[in-house]
Amino acid sequence: MRPRRRGGGFSREPERPTQTERVNDAIRAARVRLIGEDGAQLGIKTSDEARQYAYDKNLDLVEVAAQADPPVARVMDYGKYRYEQEQKAKLARKHQTSINVKEIKFRPKIGIHDYNTKKGHVERFLNQRAKVKVTIMFRGRETTHPERGRDLLMRLAEELKEIANVESPPLLDGRNMVMVLGPNKNAGVTKNDAESEDTQPGEEEVQGDRNGQADPETRDEESQAREEVAEA
């Protein structure tokens, strides 16, 4: 037996959509129901006749309904058809919404340091536009006080309300309590200093109006100063 080849670390090229249609000489049926390039029904032809019809128009014969009796074949530019199908598939993938869900687990008696650390992880995930499943794990007698877990989850939701919405409120799931947080419109948005002052208007006031003249209040002060000098 010939040994199998291993990848050896070489990267593979991206896979192209698999060809499912039989084209031209690959069509095995003796007869086909022929459809012209304009969609017209041309009747039942032998495969050789149908192929020759397509070749005369410098096009391809493509089997589009292999399960029919006889199979349906259409005359078309197969290269153009494949390109259009790939573009449609690419556009569909682009518009698909990828939902990324992360999970963070808490204990009802978590320490303040651990709480702040895990809250930071939740905040980071939300800013990455991911949903976060927050789980409180109860053990032993802790199950008799589910309110502690609920209070912890609601505290977390309150502290992250600037970037998170509660998509699923705290619910008991066996020995766990689960809450789902989703990013809101503020998640991942860099905050700008909205209170920065524009100093340009102040400079214009000092320099005067558009004509290069001082404002009336400044002129009045200058006139008053000249009058005082004259009286002295």
Side-chain angles (χ1 to χ4, degrees), residues 15 17 86-97:
E15 295 184 1
E86 289 176 9
Q87 292 303 308
K88 288 179 181 178
K90 187 183 296 184
L91 187 62
R93 289 193 299 270
K94 181 179 179 181
H95 288 296
Q96 283 180 346
T97 303

Side-chain angles (χ1 to χ4, degrees), residues 14-20 78 82 85-87 89-90 93:
E15 295 184 1
R16 297 173 63 86
T18 57
Q19 178 177 330
T20 58
Y78 188 64
R82 288 279 293 171
Q85 293 301 308
E86 289 176 9
Q87 292 303 308
K90 187 183 296 184
R93 289 193 299 270

Side-chain angles (χ1 to χ4, degrees), residues 176-190:
N176 298 330
M177 182 173 285
V178 177
M179 176 181 71
V180 178
L181 295 176
N184 62 21
K185 62 181 180 180
N186 296 323
V189 177
T190 303

Side-chain angles (χ1 to χ4, degrees), residues 71-136:
V72 179
R74 182 164 187 166
V75 177
M76 67 174 72
D77 183 341
Y78 188 64
K80 180 180 179 181
Y81 169 78
R82 288 279 293 171
Y83 174 78
E84 291 174 350
Q85 293 301 308
E86 289 176 9
Q87 292 303 308
K88 288 179 181 178
K90 187 183 296 184
L91 187 62
R93 289 193 299 270
K94 181 179 179 181
H95 288 296
Q96 283 180 346
T97 303
S98 177
I99 300 176
N100 191 11
V101 180
K102 304 289 187 178
E103 182 174 16
I104 294 289
K105 296 181 178 179
F106 287 74
R107 293 294 308 283
K109 296 181 180 179
I110 190 170
I112 185 65
H113 176 73
D114 289 341
Y115 171 83
N116 288 331
T117 299
K118 293 195 173 187
K119 185 180 79 169
H121 293 328
V122 175
E123 186 174 2
R124 176 164 53 87
F125 292 146
L126 289 167
N127 282 322
Q128 292 172 354
R129 308 300 301 175
K131 294 185 180 183
V132 184
K133 177 183 177 182
V134 188
T135 303
I136 303 292

Side-chain angles (χ1 to χ4, degrees), residues 123-212:
E123 186 174 2
R124 176 164 53 87
F125 292 146
L126 289 167
N127 282 322
Q128 292 172 354
R129 308 300 301 175
K131 294 185 180 183
V132 184
K133 177 183 177 182
V134 188
T135 303
I136 303 292
M137 300 183 298
F138 296 102
R139 292 180 182 174
R141 295 182 179 179
E142 291 174 348
T143 56
T144 61
H145 296 285
E147 69 279 359
R148 294 179 180 175
R150 185 176 291 104
D151 291 344
L152 184 62
L153 291 175
M154 296 312 297
R155 170 188 170 187
L156 179 67
E158 177 64 22
E159 292 178 356
L160 296 176
K161 65 181 181 181
E162 293 292 330
I163 60 171
N165 294 324
V166 178
E167 295 195 356
S168 177
L171 295 173
L172 274 173
D173 182 13
R175 299 177 68 87
N176 298 330
M177 182 173 285
V178 177
M179 176 181 71
V180 178
L181 295 176
N184 62 21
K185 62 181 180 180
N186 296 323
V189 177
T190 303
K191 293 183 178 180
N192 296 322
D193 185 8
E195 297 180 356
S196 60
E197 295 183 357
D198 185 4
T199 58
Q200 188 65 25
E203 294 174 356
E204 290 179 353
E205 289 175 1
V206 173
Q207 293 172 358
D209 60 17
R210 295 179 182 178
N211 295 326

Side-chain angles (χ1 to χ4, degrees), residues 33-45 53 72-74:
R33 187 178 300 277
L34 185 62
I35 300 177
E37 69 277 16
D38 57 355
Q41 298 279 347
L42 301 180
I44 296 175
K45 308 284 185 181
Y53 178 87
V72 179
R74 182 164 187 166

